[in-house]
Amino acid sequence: MNIHFIAIGGAAMHNLALALFQKGYRVTGSDDTIHDPSKSRLAAKGLLPEEFGWFPEKITSDLDAVILGMHAKADNPELLKAQELGMKIYSYPEFLYEQSKDKTRVVIGGSHGKTSITSMILHVLHYHERDVDYMVGAQLEGFDTMVHLTPDNEFIILEGDEYLSSPIDRRPKFHLYKPNIALLSGIAWDHINVFPTFENYVEQFSIFTDSLTNGGIMVYNQEDKEVKRVVEDSVNAIKKYPYLTPEYTIENGTTFLDTSDGKLPLEIFGKHNLQNLAGAKWICQHVGVDEDDFYEAIATFKGASKRLEKIAESKSTVVFKDFAHSPSKVHATTNSVKEQYNERIVLACLELHTYSSLNAEFLKEYKGALDAADKAVVFYSPHAVEIKKLEKVSEQQIESAFERDDLIIYTDPSKFKQFLFSQKLENTAVLLMSSGNYGGLDFEEVKSLV
């Protein structure tokens, strides 16, 4: 097949392009800009566009399909040409479904935890040499790409994102997969630019639950009241398997999971990660991995990239980088680090970077999110607010939203860096939470703090 990608440089899109190339497809693509690691990975396979920009002449009747990425706009010249020719235009999730419609589709959904849970499942299956197709939102140790597609594998494990499918397909991605087996980890309002009310956001998870195939399996976190209500109120003819946070203890900085064979030491920590583990165990059992084999494999799981990723450590200091940015994730991550390192000072630094987090009305959702930290810092860029065409956010609004009198706030990247590098970090756990980089902070340089 001849496939062309409009906006090939995205994290998800370039991984799909690599997976299809590996499968033997002829792959071409365009983008107006491509950064590393996408750039070098595409170049290594000869898939990097010769020049950046949009070229309608690339769209010809020789193509079997066009895959449209979210980065492209609805008036993209290549998209308009494809529409003019009456070509089949797929969104990313739509094409994944086409590639997996004859497989058993396992979809992991939820406002938080989906990347970690999908990563745990894939780690366990990889450990036991169980080959499956997959799509996951983070690079995993031992895996070449974030997407893997074959003609033969029985199962495909898909991370189910609730964000929109493409500029011309406004359905959430996870509505398109029609899972045979699914998981819901939690529901906490996000993406307010698309889902302006909490009720509208929650409705997407109800639609997802009802999209399971007849007789399908839903594994769900019954400790999350919205998840519990959505799943248990569904009249879809599915089997429902609830899970809870398993019993665990923390001894000398190591988390031990209570099992029928005794205490199992883990590389990961935090209540939310133990909760994720419980969900992953259910899914693995439905895929055919028994409990003992799951425990053997999960003991070696070190976490997904950018999810509570330990970037530096000494005897008295540890530094974590985490993708957390929504209120529920910030709360869970900060609490987990304090629980794990309760004898240490926890310095939590949060960058408000996304559309939702920089929205003045949404800010109140962060109430109490940093309470577990001994020192709490919030960084945001007024320039980022301007770019997103949002109302200006004042430091007073942020301080009021978090309801923390001693909250430290920075808007200047150099002053934030100066603060961070001036701290005495003995007996300290540093937590850097952001989907950005604090206006240009070099995380390699941060390692020198330890």
Side-chain angles (χ1 to χ4, degrees):
M1 288 185 73
N2 294 334
I3 305 291
H4 181 77
F5 284 76
I6 300 177
I8 196 172
M13 289 284 277
H14 94 275
N15 270 286
L16 179 56
L18 292 171
L20 294 180
F21 176 78
Q22 186 72 25
K23 199 176 177 183
Y25 287 21
R26 182 178 179 273
V27 175
T28 59
S30 300
D31 215 323
D32 54 0
T33 183
I34 303 178
H35 302 289
D36 273 326
S38 304
K39 187 176 180 181
S40 56
R41 297 180 80 211
L42 288 170
K45 299 296 183 183
L47 301 180
L48 187 68
E50 290 183 7
E51 55 182 315
F52 293 154
W54 310 112
F55 305 94
E57 60 271 21
K58 289 185 178 182
I59 310 300
T60 70
S61 55
D62 292 337
L63 293 172
D64 293 297
V66 168
I67 302 177
L68 177 65
M70 270 302 294
H71 169 63
K73 300 288 190 289
D75 62 353
N76 182 282
E78 293 186 15
L79 170 59
L80 295 177
K81 178 69 176 294
Q83 290 172 325
E84 181 187 319
L85 292 176
M87 302 186 66
K88 178 59 185 173
I89 302 165
Y90 290 97
S91 66
Y92 177 87
E94 197 175 14
F95 193 81
L96 280 174
Y97 174 75
E98 282 299 311
Q99 292 278 302
S100 61
K101 60 187 177 184
D102 296 324
K103 299 176 183 290
T104 300
R105 294 172 302 284
V106 182
V107 182
I108 310 303
S111 306
H112 45 253
K114 52 187 175 285
T115 299
S116 293
I117 295 170
T118 309
S119 302
M120 288 177 183
I121 294 163
L122 291 175
H123 174 85
V124 170
L125 295 174
H126 183 67
Y127 180 95
H128 290 294
E129 299 181 345
R130 295 279 302 275
D131 195 19
V132 295
D133 289 1
Y134 59 82
M135 182 275 290
V136 63
Q139 195 62 50
L140 302 181
E141 189 178 321
F143 292 79
D144 293 332
T145 60
M146 293 155 61
V147 180
H148 180 61
L149 298 168
T150 69
D152 303 320
N153 286 335
E154 177 188 354
F155 289 95
I156 183 166
I157 316 295
L158 297 161
E159 181 177 330
D161 183 5
E162 69 271 23
Y163 201 67
L164 303 181
S165 295
S166 86
I168 59 172
D169 187 345
R170 309 291 287 177
R171 292 174 294 175
K173 294 185 184 78
F174 68 167
H175 288 181
L176 305 185
Y177 296 134
K178 302 174 187 174
N180 307 96
I181 302 171
L183 180 145
L184 273 182
S185 60
I187 298 175
W189 191 23
D190 202 356
H191 309 306
I192 66 166
N193 53 322
V194 177
F195 309 113
T197 66
F198 177 66
E199 292 72 22
N200 178 231
Y201 180 71
V202 173
E203 183 187 3
Q204 309 314 312
F205 294 89
S206 294
I207 295 169
F208 172 65
T209 302
D210 291 339
S211 75
L212 265 73
T213 55
N214 193 33
I217 290 168
M218 172 61 88
V219 174
Y220 66 101
N221 176 12
Q222 68 172 336
E223 291 180 48
D224 186 296
K225 67 177 183 179
E226 289 299 331
V227 167
K228 180 178 167 66
R229 185 185 61 76
V230 162
V231 175
E232 295 182 1
D233 285 357
S234 174
V235 296
N236 192 8
I238 56 176
K239 298 165 189 168
K240 302 170 183 178
Y241 293 84
Y243 66 89
L244 298 162
T245 307
E247 295 295 322
Y248 67 97
T249 54
I250 301 170
E251 299 172 19
N252 299 319
T254 298
T255 293
F256 291 84
L257 181 67
D258 290 353
T259 76
S260 56
D261 291 328
K263 292 184 176 181
L264 178 73
L266 298 173
E267 297 277 353
I268 57 172
F269 66 88
K271 181 182 177 183
H272 67 299
N273 267 328
L274 274 294
Q275 208 170 65
N276 293 338
L277 182 152
K281 182 162 78 76
W282 258 128
I283 294 293
C284 286
Q285 286 177 282
H286 288 305
V287 173
V289 177
D290 68 28
E291 187 173 70
D292 289 344
D293 286 343
F294 175 85
Y295 286 144
E296 179 187 335
I298 205 67
T300 62
F301 179 70
K302 295 180 180 178
S305 175
K306 299 180 184 176
R307 271 68 177 180
L308 260 181
E309 181 181 353
K310 188 186 294 183
I311 62 172
E313 185 175 27
S314 67
K315 282 187 176 180
S316 66
T317 308
V318 62
V319 181
F320 290 97
K321 181 170 72 169
D322 194 273
F323 194 67
H325 48 83
S326 68
S328 60
K329 293 173 185 172
V330 170
H331 183 271
T333 301
T334 307
N335 280 44
S336 295
V337 171
K338 186 59 185 177
E339 182 184 39
Q340 189 76 1
Y341 297 93
N342 64 343
E343 299 297 323
R344 295 189 185 186
I345 295 165
V346 171
L347 169 59
C349 303
L350 168 66
E351 178 179 12
L352 300 177
H353 182 71
T354 65
Y355 183 100
S356 295
S357 67
L358 290 168
N359 182 285
E361 187 61 29
F362 186 75
L363 270 172
K364 63 179 181 293
E365 301 291 325
Y366 283 94
K367 177 183 175 181
L370 291 172
D371 282 1
D374 299 288
K375 291 183 185 176
V377 182
V378 169
F379 170 86
Y380 77 101
S381 166
H383 181 59
V385 177
E386 286 176 25
I387 290 172
K388 291 176 170 63
K389 297 179 179 177
L390 294 167
E391 292 181 26
K392 287 184 179 179
V393 176
S394 70
E395 293 187 20
Q396 179 59 46
Q397 283 175 298
I398 290 173
E399 188 177 304
S400 298
F402 282 86
E403 293 193 5
R404 182 162 175 157
D405 294 339
D406 62 347
L407 187 69
I408 303 166
I409 300 170
Y410 287 102
T411 58
D412 183 327
S414 61
K415 289 183 178 177
F416 169 72
K417 180 181 175 181
Q418 186 179 10
F419 162 82
L420 186 62
F421 280 75
S422 69
Q423 297 299 296
K424 291 183 171 65
L425 297 179
E426 292 84 2
N427 196 39
T428 299
V430 181
L431 177 56
L432 299 169
M433 294 176 284
S434 176
S435 58
N437 62 7
Y438 300 89
L441 184 67
D442 183 348
F443 290 101
E444 287 299 313
E445 195 178 346
V446 171
K447 294 177 183 179
S448 67
L449 288 169
V450 175

